[in-house]
Amino acid sequence: MAHLLMVESWVGAMSRLLPRAIREAGHEFTFLTRDLHHYLRTAPEGTAHPLLGARHVLTADTNDLETLLPYIEGLHPTLGFDGVLTSCDYYLPTAARLAGRLHLPGPAPAAVENACRKDATRRLLAAAGLPGPRFAVCADRSAATVAAAEIGYPLVLKPVDLCAGMFVRRIDDEAELVAACRALDDFPVNARGQRRAPVLLLEELLHGPEVSVETVTFDGTTQVVGVTDKSVGGAPAFVETGHMFPAEIPADDAAAAGETARRAIAALGLDGVVAHTEIKLTPDGPRLVEVNPRPAGNRITELVRHVTGIDLAAAAVDVALGQRPDLRTRDTGLRSAAIGFLVPRTAGVLAAIDGGDLVRQKQDVLELHLAEPGLAVKETGSNNAYLGHVMAGDADGPAARRRVEALLSGLRPRVVNR
């Protein structure tokens, strides 16, 4: 039995999937957080949050590395950690730094930090010769205006250190650029209380379908588990509206995407990671969007498990312990699995979601989650405002996405004004 240190977590699926994977492997974990109530608020009424299954819950300022590193180092001889992990992008560098400080398995901290900074990723991949969009890293709005004119509109504006698509916008002219920059100026601290880097990344707008490559890198070798497709809406934002695994794309495109992901992971120097690499399949070939050195979110890990039997959350636990993960595929009875998200169209208060009972009765539904009435509904600008999701599978082929779309059409949110 191993003992892992879990540094913070996402509050969604991974706050359940990682504890499950740790428990099913016969291990245990200590949970380290600066605010336990951040998680407890998300637990359904009358249930215990899975993170409370930890052997210990430690409270410390996880945003202050200068004091956190010696604090955990001092506890290590008594608690005896065997690995460090997190599912939350904002704490991936912290977990890597802690693992290094404790001489435990884990990716190189500098590699993780570069993967978590979109500007550093762009520069390193360009230096390694990986084809990508034309881009510019801008210190302020004035520099962004000049760079945008050089790149040419339309383009994409990104904060360099946020996730879930927050503040990522398509920009068609200078007025939209100024408005997007102002919106970012009004968000100087992220949702975990960390001060953001005041840097803007501008990129040439890439055309073509977007996919993600799910990989596991261990002992210097990256294995591609599969390729997931993505549907996007919410323009000018880029909101993920659904996924299907495996992606319904030609085999040559899937192989090219996989090779691009391998090259990017190698160029960043990542090892001992489960990664989720997003790629655009442009007419000129695959172009990298970003590398996320953690298992995929938005329930993609569960799509993979339903189709292949491979548990990427369990693989993340294994590599955190320096153990080779089991990536053998198994016959699950499904050829494809898909998820579709219920995206709000208007702001207000959720009165009800009609149709849920009928959808829940369908035999091919793998998951159905719907928000509770009374929820404050915001206009969608990122992947953080869903009203629910439905997941379904197809035993015969790549029809899971079409099945999910049909099921989603039966769900009717009623949002009323405040």
Side-chain angles (χ1 to χ4, degrees), residues 250-315:
D252 288 348
D253 285 346
E259 181 58 25
T260 299
R262 284 194 187 96
R263 290 179 62 196
I265 289 166
L268 289 170
L270 290 167
D271 196 6
V273 295
V274 177
H276 168 72
T277 302
E278 297 175 346
I279 291 171
K280 277 275 194 178
L281 300 176
T282 77
D284 298 320
R287 297 292 184 266
L288 189 129
V289 177
E290 62 185 36
V291 178
N292 301 282
R294 42 80 178 160
N298 265 355
R299 308 295 285 170
I300 291 173
T301 55
E302 289 300 272
L303 299 182
V304 173
R305 186 178 64 85
H306 281 301
V307 175
T308 68
I310 296 172
D311 188 340
L312 290 173

Side-chain angles (χ1 to χ4, degrees), residues 51-279:
L51 292 171
L52 291 180
R55 183 210 284 186
H56 308 285
V57 176
L58 304 177
T59 301
D61 189 350
T62 49
N63 292 342
D64 182 1
L65 269 178
E66 187 174 335
T67 58
L68 184 68
L69 290 171
Y71 169 65
I72 297 300
E73 187 176 35
L75 291 176
H76 182 44
T78 301
L79 298 183
F81 302 117
D82 300 297
V84 186
L85 80 174
T86 184
S87 64
C88 182
D89 298 56
Y90 298 132
Y91 294 97
L92 290 166
T94 301
R97 290 280 298 276
L98 281 168
R101 182 72 168 250
L102 302 180
H103 306 290
L104 297 174
V112 175
E113 289 164 6
N114 286 330
C116 291
R117 281 282 301 240
K118 295 178 177 64
D119 52 340
T121 296
R122 278 280 171 243
R123 286 168 168 152
L124 287 169
L125 297 188
L130 270 79
R134 289 176 294 126
F135 71 94
V137 180
C138 307
D140 54 35
R141 191 185 312 169
S142 177
T145 302
V146 174
E150 295 176 352
I151 295 173
Y153 297 100
L155 50 80
V156 179
L157 178 145
K158 298 179 178 179
V160 298
D161 53 2
L162 292 177
C163 50
M166 292 186 68
F167 293 94
V168 178
R169 295 293 183 269
R170 171 179 170 141
I171 306 295
D172 286 309
D173 55 39
E174 186 174 334
E176 291 184 0
L177 177 63
V178 170
C181 290
R182 284 175 176 164
L184 264 177
D185 288 343
D186 292 337
F187 195 75
V189 177
N190 69 24
R192 297 306 182 97
Q194 299 168 337
R195 183 157 292 278
R196 291 197 314 102
V199 180
L200 302 170
L201 177 63
L202 300 184
E203 295 180 355
E204 169 191 9
L205 180 66
L206 297 174
H207 298 281
E210 186 169 334
V211 300
S212 63
V213 182
E214 321 311 334
T215 58
V216 179
T217 304
F218 182 78
D219 200 17
T221 299
T222 296
Q223 179 171 333
V224 175
V225 174
V227 179
T228 311
D229 73 12
K230 177 188 296 188
S231 57
V232 178
F238 296 85
V239 179
E240 296 177 1
T241 58
H243 304 279
M244 186 173 77
F245 182 90
E248 191 177 8
I249 58 176
D252 288 348
D253 285 346
E259 181 58 25
T260 299
R262 284 194 187 96
R263 290 179 62 196
I265 289 166
L268 289 170
L270 290 167
D271 196 6
V273 295
V274 177
H276 168 72
T277 302
E278 297 175 346
I279 291 171

Side-chain angles (χ1 to χ4, degrees), residues 1-5 28-30 55-56 79-83 321:
M1 175 187 290
H3 181 203
L4 292 116
L5 176 65
E28 57 186 358
F29 69 99
T30 286
R55 183 210 284 186
H56 308 285
L79 298 183
F81 302 117
D82 300 297
L321 293 171

Side-chain angles (χ1 to χ4, degrees), residues 31 33-41 51-52 57 59:
F31 184 53
T33 179
R34 64 194 291 267
D35 180 11
L36 182 61
H37 292 284
H38 179 77
Y39 305 92
L40 301 185
R41 288 192 293 267
L51 292 171
L52 291 180
V57 176
T59 301

